[in-house]
Amino acid sequence: MAFKEDNIMGTWGITTFENDDALDWLHDLAQSSDIRLLKEALEVDEEIESWDASVALAASEVIAGLSGSSRGELPENAQKWINDNKNLDIGNLPAKASNVIDLILNDDSELFRLWKESEDFEAWKNNVLALQHVLRNIS
């Protein structure tokens, strides 16, 4: 997958972890052993900023992985964290993550607006919708 350079966002691509902000957050998560960072990542405002949206998407991918519904290949440190913490009770985090994705996929979201200007907008949006579909099907 080709990465893009943007003065606002740094390195980014259409998948969740092709993003500097997501990878920075994942580094912090790898140092933890509870769901606190997952919960915090989903505490966003309705007018969600790009960094918060990227982190919420990364947390959503990890939540899907903890639920046994990982989407494709995760970065090694994400997969290790999931394997080391697979017995954590994540409660309603899949549903909460799905609701946050609704916020990310509207014009009040800075990340959405940035992607909307990109030729890869539809591919990015479809990737995010696929993640949301996985989260909605976690029981």
Side-chain angles (χ1 to χ4, degrees):
M1 185 58 51
F3 287 93
K4 297 182 178 213
E5 287 293 327
D6 183 279
N7 291 335
I8 297 172
M9 295 177 62
T11 302
W12 50 295
I14 65 165
T15 64
T16 302
F17 291 105
E18 291 180 313
N19 179 298
D20 290 341
D21 296 331
L23 292 173
D24 289 346
W25 175 85
L26 184 56
H27 175 77
D28 292 342
L29 180 70
Q31 309 304 312
S32 73
S33 60
D34 59 37
I35 63 170
R36 180 182 52 83
L37 288 176
L38 295 174
K39 287 181 177 181
E40 288 174 2
L42 300 178
E43 294 172 6
V44 299
D45 296 324
E46 283 191 34
E47 293 183 15
I48 187 170
E49 294 184 21
S50 176
W51 185 89
D52 292 327
S54 296
V55 167
L57 290 172
S60 297
E61 294 280 8
V62 172
I63 290 165
L66 280 172
S67 301
S69 299
S70 182
R71 293 184 335 123
E73 292 190 34
L74 294 171
E76 186 177 324
N77 54 347
Q79 192 58 58
K80 180 180 182 334
W81 192 90
I82 290 167
N83 290 340
D84 291 348
N85 296 284
K86 61 186 169 199
N87 294 324
L88 290 174
D89 179 12
I90 59 170
N92 71 339
L93 288 182
K96 184 163 183 159
S98 177
N99 291 337
V100 169
I101 289 175
D102 284 334
L103 296 176
I104 293 169
L105 291 175
N106 76 60
D107 282 325
D108 289 333
S109 162
E110 181 182 28
L111 187 63
F112 182 85
R113 291 189 311 266
L114 289 168
W115 272 106
K116 202 170 183 180
E117 297 172 6
S118 165
E119 64 187 40
D120 294 326
F121 171 68
E122 288 300 323
W124 172 81
K125 182 179 168 187
N126 289 335
N127 181 61
V128 175
L129 286 169
L131 173 58
Q132 186 177 47
H133 179 76
V134 167
L135 292 165
R136 285 184 174 162
N137 287 307
I138 293 171
S139 51

